[in-house]
Amino acid sequence: MKLIWNILKLLLAVFMIYAGSQHFVNPDFFNPFVPDVLVFKTFIIYASGILEVTLGVLLLFPKFTKKAALAICILMLLFLPIHIWDVFSDTPAIGSHEAALIRLPIQLVLIALSYKLYKIKA
């Protein structure tokens, strides 16, 4: 069972590193996800990218796995309202209602996985 959790941890780390790096490769994609009431949208996009990459890398180091998993869980919870809003929006930031409906359950899986990794310290 430990092998399965280690594989899931590796997949989550790769996902976080990839997703975080996309904030730098294609920052315009993330622009609609940042509410207009927030200033410094570009800074927020880059900062969240740095955070995602950092947490993904830290997840790979046993000394930091538990804290990184908890931080990922909290970050995904903070992003959850954006994904819920996107499902019910007339013009979803992700582009389509279908994409928003796919992305929301993925967000829930990321929350559950990171929380479980935190609890078991894989």
Side-chain angles (χ1 to χ4, degrees):
M1 198 62 171
K2 182 138 175 106
L3 176 63
I4 292 170
W5 285 111
N6 279 327
I7 291 170
L8 289 172
K9 177 177 70 171
L10 177 62
L11 289 173
L12 180 59
V14 168
F15 174 81
M16 292 299 294
I17 293 166
Y18 175 77
S21 67
Q22 290 303 302
H23 287 71
F24 303 98
V25 174
N26 191 8
D28 291 337
F29 173 81
F30 296 94
N31 223 14
F33 291 103
V34 181
D36 289 331
V37 297
L38 297 176
V39 293
F40 307 117
K41 288 177 89 165
T42 303
F43 173 78
I44 292 169
I45 292 168
Y46 288 141
S48 61
I50 290 169
L51 186 58
E52 288 178 19
V53 170
T54 301
L55 292 174
V57 170
L58 289 175
L59 198 59
L60 298 172
F61 292 93
K63 180 178 179 180
F64 301 108
T65 295
K66 189 172 176 89
K67 289 179 181 176
L70 178 61
I72 290 169
C73 183
I74 292 168
L75 185 64
M76 295 300 110
L77 284 168
L78 290 173
F79 290 163
L80 185 60
I82 295 167
H83 297 292
I84 293 170
W85 169 81
D86 219 24
V87 167
F88 297 104
S89 173
D90 289 335
T91 55
I94 191 72
S96 71
H97 284 99
E98 292 81 12
L101 285 170
I102 292 168
R103 195 171 177 125
L104 181 58
I106 291 171
Q107 190 74 10
L108 296 173
V109 168
L110 293 173
I111 291 166
L113 177 58
S114 58
Y115 181 74
K116 183 66 175 177
L117 288 171
Y118 165 71
K119 293 302 276 185
I120 65 168
K121 193 179 182 256

